Amino acid sequence: MKLALALTATLPLAALSLAPLEPGVGQVLLTIKQHAIPSNNNNTKPYSNQHSGAWYDRNSSDTPSAVNTRLGYKPLNFFQTDYDMSGKKPFKPEPEIVDEFIVHLKESNSDASAYLTVYPFQGLGDNITDEHLRDTLARIKAVIATGRKVFVRFACIQFWRQQLGADASKAAFIWAPNSGNGYPWAKDENNPGENYSPDATTQEGKALIQTLDTNKNGKFDELDDPYLIYYPGDEYVDWVGLSIYAYGTMYPWETNDIAPPNKPDKKKKKKFEGLLQGRESGIPNTSWGHYPFYTYFCTDTGVPTITAGNKPFILAETGVAYHFAWANQSWATDGNHPPTPIQDITRVQVKQSWWRSFLNAEFLAKYPQFKAACFFEFIKPEETTVRDFASLGGVPGSDRFKASVSEVSKAFVEDAKKMAFVVWGNAVQSSGPVSVSPSTTGSATKSSSASIDIVWPLLAWTATVASI
């Protein structure tokens, strides 16, 4: 999934490598309670609390308030949204997405942190003008000015830290690529625009392949390192993270499966831990995903001349797919397919197996720099199926559909109640509604009356969800 998610975790400033903060608006003041490790665990480092948040689906009418309502327990610790700095894919014309995000956080009546992912959907170079840069910078500053803890994940992270000036110390910068499985993401013949590999027929492409060929075997392939060559440098990065997803156990990803435990099976497959650390403890083999991200960036081992390590880790976006309908609705009645993908395992079983693979004390003791996780709260068509990635409720649908997904959110809350390390947000009294002025400044100001009325575009497949 070529998307990005993220979540917030909070640490002392020293751990964030941020400059000292002046008291006042927008400080990223982060604290974590430390717990002793059980005596039967040979890891001598303490593990920290887990901050849980969500990337909510604004395009399907979801909001932070709605997510918290579905959970029916405590408010989440943070919320995330994304913004296209090129202005080509805003999804809705007005109000601007960042202004809307500020309002949504205000209406949650909580102290949730703000997590903003900034994309250049049209690429960089000539597609991004000085006006785009100034506008994006203003929007980031507008989020900082709300006084919330702020996390920012950017393309070209070095540029933004420099341009924020004094405000740079008021936001934590995250570098969080996709997990390396599938790297180097060869050209997809069914999606001509999805081509992430250099063109070997050009001189420029040949030169780039030589650079990306990290093991110098003469090829750009799955044995090359998908992380280190792209790392911008410790001086620009406060947090590191990965986007990690599960789609099933076998391509074409149409079956619902229980996530395997974080222990090698006969085929040496470790689902979550394998994506985080590689299938064989980082020893290259002939399979995808064999480079140890966590060891590189989150332990004192580091990598000489590249990173000193010891960065806090955030599971920038995560979810497991539950396949419940065909993306091509005609498949349900064409006689060549069952009416729906086979659902012999329940939604709760699939989801619960995934979050339990990393939200457990044993795993967190083994990876003490794992500080936060952000759940991808989207239900959408991908490839041949409609996939429910949500762990906290999902988008609106029929009463029967709502009942089905609500069982998942209930299971998450019941599990979380038993997890002393899960950190929730706090409810706060709203000090007045927020109104926004759609402009290039992205400013938000207090007003005596609410002033936003949004008509949300529904995706084409919403009819499928509504009928279930």
Side-chain angles (χ1 to χ4, degrees):
M1 171 178 305
K2 300 300 180 283
L3 291 174
L5 258 206
L7 110 126
T8 68
T10 54
L11 284 178
L13 291 176
L16 278 174
S17 301
L18 294 179
L21 298 178
E22 296 297 328
V25 171
Q27 292 187 351
V28 187
L29 296 175
L30 305 174
T31 59
I32 277 204
K33 293 186 293 184
Q34 299 293 329
H35 296 262
I37 300 221
S39 58
N40 62 350
N41 192 301
N42 59 11
N43 190 319
T44 60
K45 292 185 178 181
Y47 63 84
S48 62
N49 288 351
Q50 275 290 305
H51 294 245
S52 294
W55 185 356
Y56 65 100
D57 185 0
R58 64 172 187 266
N59 301 309
S60 294
S61 306
D62 212 3
T63 66
S65 294
V67 174
N68 286 336
T69 298
R70 289 197 298 272
L71 286 172
Y73 184 51
K74 297 177 181 179
L76 288 177
N77 187 262
F78 67 91
F79 288 94
Q80 188 257 164
T81 197
D82 63 302
Y83 171 72
D84 175 19
M85 63 185 291
S86 68
K88 300 296 184 183
K89 293 188 177 181
F91 296 105
K92 68 178 71 70
E94 302 293 349
E96 292 290 345
I97 289 169
V98 177
D99 289 337
E100 175 189 283
F101 184 42
I102 291 171
V103 173
H104 282 173
L105 290 173
K106 181 75 172 180
E107 292 175 342
S108 74
N109 291 325
S110 74
D111 63 352
S113 300
Y115 196 113
L116 183 64
T117 290
V118 180
Y119 289 116
F121 275 118
Q122 303 301 307
L124 299 172
D126 294 339
N127 294 307
I128 301 299
T129 66
D130 288 347
E131 183 179 357
H132 287 129
L133 296 176
R134 284 191 294 268
D135 183 72
T136 301
L137 186 63
R139 296 184 191 287
I140 295 167
K141 285 179 172 285
V143 178
I144 289 173
T146 65
R148 296 178 184 273
K149 299 168 189 172
V150 179
F151 288 77
V152 183
R153 183 170 63 164
F154 282 113
C156 42
I157 205 169
Q158 303 96 315
F159 171 84
W160 295 111
R161 182 179 283 286
Q162 294 165 355
Q163 293 300 310
L164 277 173
D167 281 339
S169 63
K170 299 175 183 177
F173 287 78
I174 296 171
W175 179 72
N178 285 294
S179 59
N181 54 306
Y183 184 83
W185 301 305
K187 183 176 180 179
D188 183 349
E189 298 297 337
N190 297 318
N191 297 287
E194 299 279 313
N195 184 10
Y196 301 94
S197 297
D199 185 352
T201 65
T202 67
Q203 288 301 118
E204 181 182 12
K206 291 177 181 178
L208 186 53
I209 287 173
Q210 288 182 346
T211 300
L212 296 172
D213 177 19
T214 60
N215 65 355
K216 303 306 176 186
N217 68 347
K219 298 181 293 185
F220 179 37
D221 56 22
E222 71 275 5
L223 297 179
D224 292 311
D225 193 312
Y227 305 127
L228 292 179
I229 197 168
Y230 302 101
Y231 186 61
D234 285 349
E235 64 270 37
Y236 302 112
V237 176
D238 301 311
W239 290 70
V240 296
L242 286 175
S243 297
I244 299 180
Y245 288 90
Y247 303 92
T249 58
M250 186 177 299
Y251 187 80
W253 319 124
E254 295 176 352
T255 61
N256 295 304
D257 302 293
I258 299 295
N262 284 316
K263 297 177 181 179
D265 61 13
K266 293 180 180 180
K267 296 182 180 179
K268 298 183 179 179
K269 292 181 179 179
K270 301 175 294 180
K271 193 59 180 182
F272 187 88
E273 191 171 18
L275 296 172
L276 177 68
Q277 278 288 77
R279 288 193 173 187
E280 293 187 345
S281 301
I283 301 173
N285 52 48
T286 57
S287 300
W288 51 260
H290 51 260
Y291 283 90
F293 186 94
Y294 185 93
T295 299
Y296 279 171
F297 301 107
C298 305
T299 71
D300 53 16
T301 301
V303 180
T305 75
I306 296 177
T307 176
N310 284 323
K311 297 287 186 183
F313 177 88
I314 179 173
L315 182 53
E317 51 185 277
T318 194
V320 57
Y322 186 78
H323 308 274
F324 66 92
W326 299 116
N328 184 340
Q329 296 181 37
S330 67
W331 283 21
T333 56
D334 66 3
N336 297 318
H337 302 84
T340 66
I342 297 174
Q343 298 173 32
D344 54 348
I345 299 175
T346 69
R347 203 179 231 101
V348 170
Q349 288 174 314
V350 171
K351 305 289 185 178
Q352 198 169 50
S353 69
W354 182 245
W355 70 60
R356 284 181 174 179
S357 67
F358 55 89
L359 289 181
N360 67 80
E362 181 181 4
F363 185 82
L364 296 176
K366 186 175 182 179
Y367 298 101
Q369 287 291 82
F370 194 143
K371 306 295 183 181
C374 184
F375 293 96
F376 186 67
E377 292 302 291
F378 284 64
I379 299 174
K380 65 195 191 83
E382 281 189 340
E383 298 178 295
T384 61
T385 64
V386 180
R387 298 172 178 176
D388 172 10
F389 288 98
S391 299
L392 311 177
V395 300
S398 67
D399 289 342
R400 186 157 66 93
F401 182 77
K402 290 177 183 177
S404 177
V405 297
S406 70
E407 293 302 315
V408 176
S409 58
K410 289 177 183 177
F412 180 84
V413 169
E414 289 307 309
D415 274 6
K417 287 179 179 178
K418 303 170 187 176
M419 300 172 183
F421 46 79
V422 172
V423 176
W424 300 84
N426 299 294
V428 297
Q429 183 64 39
S430 174
S431 57
V434 171
S435 65
V436 298
S437 52
S439 68
T440 58
T441 64
S443 61
T445 57
K446 289 185 179 180
S447 169
S448 59
S449 62
S451 61
I452 285 190
D453 182 21
I454 301 171
V455 178
W456 296 85
L458 297 179
L459 300 180
W461 54 269
T462 301
T464 302
V465 176
S467 64
I468 292 173

